[in-house]
Amino acid sequence: MTEKRVVITGLGALTPIGNDVPSFWDSLLAGKSGAGPITHFDATKFKTQIACELKNFDVTDHLERREARRIDPFCHYALIVADQAVRDAGIDFASDNNRVDRARSGVIWATGLGGIQTLEDQIEGYISSGGVPRFSPFYIPRLLGDSSSGLIAMRYGIHGINFNTTSACASANAALISARDSILLDKVDMVIVGGSEASITPSIVGGFNSLKALSTRNEDPQHASRPFDAARDGFVIGEGAGALIVEEYGHARRRSAPIYAELVGGGMSADAYHATSSHPEGLGAFLSMEAALRDARMRAQEIDYVNAHATATAAGDISELLALSRLLGEHLPAVNISSTKSMTGHLLGAAGAIESVACVLA
């Protein structure tokens, strides 16, 4: 039996520095920052008044107004980037000549906070009405994290595996690894995988402020997200989404799909240390990277680029570098290491998806 291989055949991106893959990539190469004053709500009373918001974005340019009203912004983003990736991969689900079996296709989508904007809006409406329970019939569907994967499946009539992954900042990484595993286990031939987040809201900004996790460099937003810098003071929250088409190699070849990269390994672990702080020596990060190398049957000396999680928090950046130092040893100085969060900000549950797109292009 031939061992299965897994490849990436399509990409989608909706980010604070570009609303599609080409513009996102151009902005990365140019070192463009997506940070600026918060416009989604009045942040004048907040310690943090800056964020990485989407630019020149109107959901009605992509979705019908009626459809857009019924779903949360994080689902808007999910549908938009999934469509980008599907088209990029050359998949036409509506075609009779389509070589993709919908029963052998799946959707695995990630989000950390799901429909948090919907939650805030509904509670605010309840309070302002004096406690009259006039909740929208779309409230619960808009709120649920797995509404994203369900909506994508309905869009294309996909009947295979369908679920949501939530693992804080690693949510989209877990989705990508789960997609690869599902293909290797012969559960599916192709998966639309990614993550989306729309969490620049009062409660989330206020909550992260209470944790002292966000940068308060309000006077200089363009330089506020500074991973590894000695003067770093926290992350800049971002919004958007990323998507990848993950496909079995033979399946991709049979339909003459473009192949960007091969996905050869993945690893997951836990710090088992603290609710919000990483292990001071980066134990969990080391274990996950070690597992990924073992899964890929690679040596540390073969690594040439690391897209670091590095969010610009004081403890997090150091622990990650300690983990990389332990993993790479004497090879560390030869490895290119960067954190694209310096430009996009931190997209929370969607971070792994958009950064995977950056890795593929790199």
Side-chain angles (χ1 to χ4, degrees):
M1 181 176 176
T2 303
E3 186 172 351
K4 289 184 178 293
R5 298 167 63 188
V6 179
V7 295
I8 295 169
T9 58
L11 303 173
L14 179 62
T15 79
I17 58 173
N19 294 345
D20 53 37
V21 172
S23 58
F24 167 60
W25 180 241
D26 287 345
S27 294
L28 285 179
L29 295 180
K32 181 179 179 180
S33 170
I38 291 174
T39 65
H40 290 345
F41 64 93
D42 182 1
T44 53
K45 295 181 181 180
F46 287 72
K47 293 179 181 178
T48 293
Q49 300 168 12
I50 58 174
C52 287
E53 298 179 342
L54 297 178
K55 314 291 189 301
N56 303 313
F57 175 76
D58 185 340
V59 67
T60 59
D61 291 338
H62 307 273
L63 304 175
E64 291 184 5
R65 192 177 300 275
R66 182 181 179 186
E67 179 184 24
R69 283 202 306 266
R70 293 184 173 186
I71 60 180
D72 189 86
F74 93 98
C75 285
H76 294 165
Y77 305 163
L79 287 170
I80 290 166
V81 295
D83 185 61
Q84 288 180 14
V86 165
R87 286 188 283 108
D88 188 42
I91 300 171
D92 182 2
F93 285 104
S95 172
D96 292 335
N97 298 320
N98 181 43
R99 298 185 181 182
V100 176
D101 184 348
R102 300 184 198 202
R104 292 275 303 174
S105 302
V107 183
I108 305 177
W109 205 259
T111 184
L113 293 162
I116 188 66
Q117 182 66 66
T118 290
L119 178 63
E120 290 190 26
D121 290 346
Q122 291 293 298
I123 291 177
E124 183 179 348
Y126 173 68
I127 293 172
S128 64
S129 71
V132 179
R134 294 173 179 167
F135 292 94
S136 166
F138 300 109
Y139 169 39
I140 299 302
R142 284 170 57 100
L143 176 67
L144 296 175
D146 63 348
S147 290
S148 50
S149 60
L151 286 165
I152 294 170
M154 288 189 287
R155 170 67 60 90
Y156 303 111
I158 294 173
H159 300 292
I161 58 172
N162 187 291
F163 59 92
N164 168 249
T165 57
T166 297
S167 184
C169 308
S171 297
N173 304 74
L176 190 60
I177 292 171
S178 296
R180 176 176 174 267
D181 289 348
S182 297
I183 292 172
L184 293 178
L185 291 171
D186 199 31
K187 303 293 185 182
V188 285
D189 300 318
M190 185 273 290
V191 183
I192 301 175
V193 59
S196 57
E197 206 78 271
S199 53
I200 304 176
T201 68
S203 73
I204 299 305
V205 172
F208 277 125
N209 271 158
S210 295
L211 288 173
K212 296 181 170 58
L214 293 180
S215 172
T216 56
R217 206 178 298 273
N218 299 318
E219 72 288 349
D220 187 17
Q222 291 284 296
H223 300 97
S225 182
R226 45 175 72 193
F228 303 124
D229 191 281
R232 65 192 183 279
D233 71 331
F235 72 85
V236 177
I237 193 169
E239 63 179 351
L244 304 95
I245 303 299
V246 179
E247 196 167 350
E248 193 275 320
Y249 175 70
H251 185 269
R253 287 294 302 272
R254 284 192 294 276
R255 64 179 196 85
S256 301
I259 295 177
Y260 283 102
E262 183 173 1
L263 186 55
V264 296
M268 293 193 240
S269 65
D271 272 337
Y273 172 74
H274 189 271
T276 57
S277 296
S278 56
H279 190 282
E281 296 176 0
L283 177 61
F286 167 75
L287 292 173
S288 64
M289 291 186 290
E290 183 183 50
L293 284 174
R294 186 168 56 249
D295 189 29
R297 300 172 189 172
M298 292 177 62
R299 297 176 298 112
Q301 290 72 24
E302 296 177 76
I303 300 297
D304 61 2
Y305 172 63
V306 174
N307 187 296
H309 177 59
T311 61
T313 58
D317 288 10
I318 292 175
S319 67
E320 188 170 10
L321 285 177
L322 289 172
L324 285 167
S325 180
R326 181 179 175 185
L327 181 81
L328 299 171
E330 295 181 356
H331 182 56
L332 180 64
V335 178
N336 298 290
I337 301 172
S338 69
S339 172
T340 46
K341 290 183 180 71
S342 61
M343 294 170 275
T344 66
H346 188 0
L347 272 66
L348 306 179
I354 196 61
E355 290 165 27
S356 291
V357 172
C359 283
V360 168
L361 296 174

